[in-house]
Amino acid sequence: MPTDTGIETQLKDAVQLSEAVWAVLAERVSGDWLLRSVYRLTRSAQNELMTIMARPSIDTWLCGALSGGHSRSSSIPEETQLNATRFFAFPVPATSQVILVGADDQTPAAQRIWKLTASLLSGRSTSSNQPFLPDLQSGLAFDLPLALEKVLGAFVQAVTCQGAWLAIRRGESLDIQAEWNAPKAKGVSLLIDSNPLLRRVNRSLSDVIITRGQPNWDNLPYGSLKSGTKMWVCLPLVIGQRLIGVVTLWRQKEFTPTEWGQLRELAARVPPSVEVVVTFSEMAGHLRRLGMLNDFVLTVSSAQTLDQIARRMFGLLSRAFNTELIALFLRSSDGRILRDYRLIEGKMNVISVSLAGHSIQPFLSKEGRARLITDAVREDFPPIHKDARSMLIVPLKYRGQAIGVLIIESPRAEAFNLYDEHLMVVITSHLAGLIEYTRLREEAEGRARSLSLIHEVVQQVIGLNDKKEVAHISAELVAQYFKFDLASIFLFDEEHKFSIQGIGGSHAETVKRALAGGEFVVQDGVTGRVSQTGESIMINDTKLDPLYKSLRGWEARSEICVALKDGETILGIIDAESREQNAFSHNDLIAMESLAGILASVITSANQYQKLQETIRQLRLTEVELNARMEAQRSAENRLLQAAKLAAVGEMAAGIAHELNNPLTTVTGFSELVLDELPQDSEHREELEMVLREARRASDVVRRLLDFSRQGERIRSQADLNEVVNDVIALTRHLIQTNRVALTLDLDESLPWIFIDRNQMKQVLLNLIHNALQAMPNGGGLQVSTRIVEREERNWAVMAIKDSGVGITPADQVRIFEPFFTTRGDRGGTGLGLSVTFGIVTDHGGMIEISSEPEKGSTFSVWLPM
């Protein structure tokens, strides 16, 4: 054919010669019209023209021009941007193309110009000696619809006809996959054995010709036949002795011998090409389905909610099996409700239905297995979707229990095979685990929200004795928390009438006005049924349920109704409604039933609720106490470990002290005697004095070791801790001042006397003050304070010593109370002061806490029991 530039040039010349407004070259491909070349039409006008051409009446009119091979004209349907009042159609011979001209009128001379242009655009025609073989290199074999359109186009171009279709055999049915001027035929599946004409073609593998008036004229399998149609012919496509498809054509007159020869030769030549493209299509479909496993991992497994899982899974299945007839049924945790997921007009639709008596119930048993139904009509199995012919039903099993069923259906018979069944069993095994995990998470979140609501209701109504107030507050909270359009609570009075009511929600006033002239609880409606039987009811489409009764001025699309029961006694009902369809989930039903139990208890006895609140408080206190005891146990274990270390070091220290004490006493005594007799100017006097000083220093270390190993006799009595602090401060005030340290005292004068050893407590405070001064070599601030603190249901006297010194690193804080551990390095220190302090405090039943940051200072807090 000419290039697009050449075509546009020819259209331009013809428009100028014929004085037309515009012209296009259009081609019919796969049932749609495409614009191949355009002259004098804007982009918006082109889109409008394609919309008009897609209308069934215009499509039929254009197909008639192609099949008849004659030009025709028609008025443009309405005012458009096309700037012309009439269409003129000129078919391009031996093609599926037509020149469409827009003009107010075309003279016979102008029409002859367009017919000549159409003949020039005809680049080829169907020849009886040229076989139809799709070009596999061009990708045609991978596009089954386009390839079959080309096959059917070869027949239509060979002879003129009113309409035609091509069907491919799948099992025991013929699926119409290409059509010519019969748009409603595409996608129809025909059972071979159900039609006598198709049975004859299948058995004889020969042509079938029917003319109007013959007995079988009324048995034609499918065709949009007009009143003028006189002949119908069915040509088999055969490989060996196997029927792989048929081509059907019909027209107003009989076929000539030449036309019959062309049709039969085409019918003999095209089957190999048809089988190639069908085989390629089936292989591609099989590979796409296997690819679902990878797609499942990449897309479905990353979904966060059940709706996302269903939507993504449906998308995968729809692409893989070329069908939107998919349904997913998930059983609720209590086994009463089915969550029904379906695609309706491309949108996910979710409803809740009762499991009892449902057709999929047998598949939810432990013995339920996957089932492949090749033909629902022949096997007498009711499909889920109205137009389904074949079905693939696969239970979703998690740990041996069926939690749901996945159903894939197709309008074609035998659309699925055993490979599909095995593939879906593998996919659903993974899908079941993902769904169960997601559902448990969603249910946990939903129940957490429900518990929040229940807690809020309990807080509001606990202790109330007025049932009207209970009903009103509860209804308002339910509507507010769940964002229901309407929430109502109706309670029986002493005369067993629903005179006590609470109504909340955005439409509460509408319902209150409606109730002024009637009863909300209708005996033969949802509320009446629940108030009589005590069984909960959830409706997600009130238009489909005869139990729902609307009120004047108010009509809901979804409803939940739950009974308030004390044992077997029905106290009232809770009813929630929404204007939206499918507004409620199974979690909402569980929440309402839980709330109903709480409200029933409140209504029955306010005292029971007070006990419940007290129980909740006790549980929380028990939890706090348990945590505190666990923390105390860990602290006690740490103190016990420290005490064990001190005991071990103490025993060692006692032994060392005893071994060293006697030699040191001897050295000290004789050194003093020698010094007394040695002249003052003796050259050895200085060395001997150094020996005496070092011996005394060693004796002091031995004394500290003995103090550490045995604290001596304890003399405990009731004493004022503030007085102990003041005594020690009086002894150390001069030392504190000489170290350029500012002292601050913050003593709690209300501190009662405690049972302590005064001298040991003085030693503790002296050690801590001494350490604090050592930590501030350049001066600083020192604060000593006392206070009363309650911890673990016990009062403690706390003495805190806070400095602004160098601080202690976290690593050193762990070892700070270990014997002989010191941070002073070569600045002196035995590492026993804090160990002795720790031992004294522990012996008093107390504890020491340290809080320190490097370069910011430290705080030692001594806790003593009161």
Side-chain angles (χ1 to χ4, degrees), residues 464-485:
L464 296 179
N465 296 319
D466 187 346
K467 292 198 290 185
K468 289 184 178 180
E469 191 174 0
V470 171
H472 175 71
I473 293 175
S474 301
E476 288 289 348
L477 287 175
V478 170
Q480 176 184 350
Y481 199 90
F482 284 105
K483 295 180 174 59
F484 294 157
D485 291 332

Side-chain angles (χ1 to χ4, degrees), residues 22-285:
W22 51 262
V24 299
L25 177 65
E27 182 177 8
R28 195 171 191 270
V29 179
S30 300
D32 297 320
W33 288 96
L34 303 179
L35 301 185
R36 296 302 188 189
S37 187
V38 180
Y39 179 67
R40 277 192 183 173
L41 270 186
T42 64
R43 177 64 65 182
S44 59
Q46 292 176 35
N47 294 334
E48 191 170 12
L49 177 60
M50 292 181 67
T51 302
I52 294 174
M53 294 172 69
R55 295 178 182 177
S57 60
I58 302 299
D59 178 56
T60 303
W61 180 74
L62 291 172
C63 288
L66 284 176
S67 60
H70 303 294
S71 61
R72 54 176 61 182
S73 67
S74 174
S75 60
I76 295 179
E78 56 194 17
E79 292 186 4
T80 63
Q81 301 179 46
L82 301 179
N83 300 324
T85 58
R86 295 189 67 79
F87 284 135
F88 293 86
F90 299 93
V92 178
T95 69
S96 299
Q97 297 179 336
V98 62
I99 297 176
L100 197 60
V101 179
D104 294 333
D105 190 20
Q106 289 284 278
T107 64
Q111 293 187 34
R112 284 195 296 273
I113 292 173
W114 286 113
K115 290 177 182 179
L116 177 61
T117 303
S119 64
L120 292 175
L121 292 177
S122 176
R124 62 181 176 85
S125 61
T126 303
S127 173
S128 61
N129 59 5
Q130 181 182 5
F132 177 84
L133 292 175
D135 182 5
L136 300 184
Q137 300 301 320
S138 67
L140 185 60
F142 300 98
D143 191 341
L144 180 63
L146 180 59
L148 296 182
E149 287 280 350
K150 293 290 186 182
V151 171
L152 184 60
F155 285 88
V156 173
Q157 292 166 15
V159 298
T160 59
C161 61
Q162 289 180 306
W165 49 258
L166 184 152
I168 298 300
R169 182 171 185 173
R170 295 190 184 278
E172 298 303 319
S173 63
L174 288 167
D175 296 342
I176 300 177
Q177 298 196 15
E179 53 80 24
W180 173 259
N181 203 19
K184 294 183 179 180
K186 193 169 184 179
V188 174
S189 183
L190 306 171
L191 281 175
I192 296 175
D193 289 340
S194 66
N195 186 277
L197 298 178
L198 297 180
R199 281 201 305 270
R200 187 197 304 179
V201 173
N202 184 39
R203 291 172 183 173
S204 65
L205 301 180
S206 59
D207 309 334
V208 172
I209 305 170
I210 305 294
T211 58
R212 184 178 289 276
Q214 289 186 340
N216 279 326
W217 182 262
D218 294 333
N219 293 325
L220 298 182
Y222 194 89
S224 301
L225 305 184
K226 298 181 180 180
S227 58
T229 303
K230 293 183 178 180
M231 176 165 285
W232 182 91
V233 61
C234 182
L235 300 168
L237 305 179
V238 180
I239 296 290
Q241 295 297 314
R242 179 167 53 88
L243 179 71
I244 67 168
V246 298
V247 175
T248 299
L249 304 94
W250 57 92
R251 69 179 192 176
Q252 296 171 319
K253 60 182 179 179
E254 295 183 359
F255 295 100
T256 66
T258 301
E259 290 175 329
W260 264 118
Q262 291 177 330
L263 290 176
R264 285 172 174 165
E265 185 170 357
L266 277 173
R269 289 177 178 272
V270 299
S273 299
V274 171
E275 185 164 48
V276 167
V277 295
V278 170
T279 302
F280 266 100
S281 177
E282 290 179 349
M283 291 175 61

